[in-house]
Amino acid sequence: MSRAFIFPGQGSQAVGMGSALAQDHAAARAVFAEVDEALGQNLSRLMFEGPAEELTLTANAQPALMASSIAVLRVLEAERGLDLARDVAFVAGHSLGEYSALAAAGSLSLADAARLLRLRGEAMQKAVPVGSGAMAALLGLDVEAATEVAAQAREGDVCDVANDNGAGQVVVSGHRAAVERAVALAQGRGAKRAVMLNVSAPFHCGLMAPAAEAMREALARVDLRPAKVPVMANVLAAPIAEPAALRDALVEQVTGTVRWRECVAAMAAAGVDAFYEIGTGKVLSGLVKRIAAGSSATPVGSPAEVAAFTL
């Protein structure tokens, strides 16, 4: 069996995330305490108790999801005998989950990952005035058709493919008017559904250029080490491990397309037949099953799921 560990992105957060694991495992409590200290905030209380409106804020959701993922990983290492470099062929994360993957692979320290994600969330929120940007899911179109729709919808505005999630699930992002035009065009191109998303900013499009520059400056000040497990990079759909390449990929990811379908397909083509979604939720597990037929996809987040994990 060849394994990949995958790490969820924004939207998987939920009040109560990590709480049961922290109650049962000292290794998880240590992760949450370190993240709280790094941020100067009791983020773990917000994760465990809410309110949901505050947890969902981009600047909170991003480090919270990373903390939840690394807490699970540390428990697997401490209590289930996991050695990532020995037992896992690739790591990959969806959008902010790429920071979780880098922390898991030893390229980023836990504290640096938390601080970078706090900055990333704030910078992405500030990049575009509230209400002027939007995102929409085009369901039933492949990425080629969605790219044509986005190009046709621009009319001088920004409208880019933000996520190619696989299984006919493509997300576009940009100026609100252009995204609304894309929704109308997609329905005429045979999309099963085209729906505006309830998001706070238009992520992964050209409007995020100020946030990309903020991350370039922040990442230049951070110690990035070679990844002990290859990272399947969102914007490349190819494995990388060296600090310079990792840094460039994280910057490009802010405005670039999350090529999740291609990432999963590349890992499957390289022999991965067992994917484990580490942290909160099971969104990625569902996508994997539709992209890599014949591969298993298992969420690992709750104490019961951690206990059931075997090498």
Side-chain angles (χ1 to χ4, degrees):
M1 177 184 291
S2 181
R3 304 177 188 86
F5 275 15
I6 55 177
F7 298 87
Q10 199 160 339
S12 290
Q13 70 277 354
V15 173
M17 58 192 292
S19 177
L21 200 70
Q23 290 176 9
D24 291 357
H25 300 283
R29 291 194 293 274
V31 168
F32 295 131
E34 186 174 345
V35 169
D36 286 351
E37 182 177 358
L39 295 179
Q41 173 196 9
N42 197 336
L43 183 66
S44 58
R45 178 182 294 173
L46 179 60
M47 294 166 63
F48 300 165
E49 302 175 10
E53 300 77 22
E54 191 174 345
L55 177 60
T56 302
L57 294 173
T58 302
N60 290 326
Q62 295 199 18
L65 284 160
M66 184 278 301
S68 179
S69 289
I70 300 305
V72 172
L73 184 82
R74 295 289 179 255
V75 174
L76 293 176
E77 291 172 336
E79 302 184 23
R80 307 301 297 166
L82 174 71
D83 179 328
L84 198 76
R86 180 194 67 200
D87 299 323
V88 175
F90 299 99
V91 293
H94 192 283
S95 190
L96 80 89
E98 195 154 88
Y99 287 78
S100 307
L102 289 176
S107 185
L108 273 176
S109 72
L110 178 60
D112 281 341
R115 286 189 289 261
L116 285 167
L117 284 170
R118 166 59 49 80
L119 172 65
R120 183 177 182 268
E122 292 172 345
M124 293 172 96
Q125 195 63 60
K126 290 176 185 173
V128 181
V130 174
S132 67
M135 300 179 76
L138 311 183
L139 306 177
L141 292 187
D142 62 22
V143 70
E144 290 79 11
T147 300
E148 292 174 6
V149 164
Q152 189 177 349
R154 284 187 189 123
E155 297 183 12
D157 290 333
V158 170
C159 187
D160 298 332
V161 172
N163 301 347
D164 175 14
N165 289 328
Q169 190 181 121
V170 181
V171 176
V172 295
S173 179
H175 286 111
R176 176 170 293 277
V179 172
E180 289 171 346
R181 288 193 292 270
V183 166
L185 289 165
Q187 291 167 337
R189 288 287 297 269
K192 293 177 182 175
R193 279 200 307 150
V195 294
M196 302 294 286
L197 299 178
N198 182 21
V199 295
S200 58
F203 306 124
H204 299 292
C205 75
L207 295 176
M208 288 286 115
E213 190 54 38
M215 294 313 298
R216 185 187 308 280
E217 294 173 3
L219 285 159
R221 300 190 295 267
V222 168
D223 179 29
L224 266 176
R225 297 174 292 279
K228 61 187 177 185
V229 176
V231 180
M232 190 64 70
N234 282 187
V235 294
L236 302 173
I240 54 177
E242 291 308 309
L246 294 167
R247 186 176 280 109
D248 288 347
L250 290 176
V251 173
E252 187 180 344
Q253 183 220 71
V254 179
T255 56
T257 302
V258 176
R259 297 165 59 184
W260 188 251
R261 174 184 57 84
E262 293 173 85
C263 287
V264 171
M267 289 185 280
V272 171
D273 53 9
F275 293 82
Y276 294 87
E277 184 171 2
I278 306 299
T280 300
K282 53 186 179 181
V283 171
L284 299 184
S285 297
L287 293 175
V288 165
K289 290 174 183 176
R290 293 193 287 273
I291 297 166
S295 296
S296 66
T298 307
V300 184
S302 69
E305 290 164 347
V306 167
F309 177 85
T310 56
L311 292 167

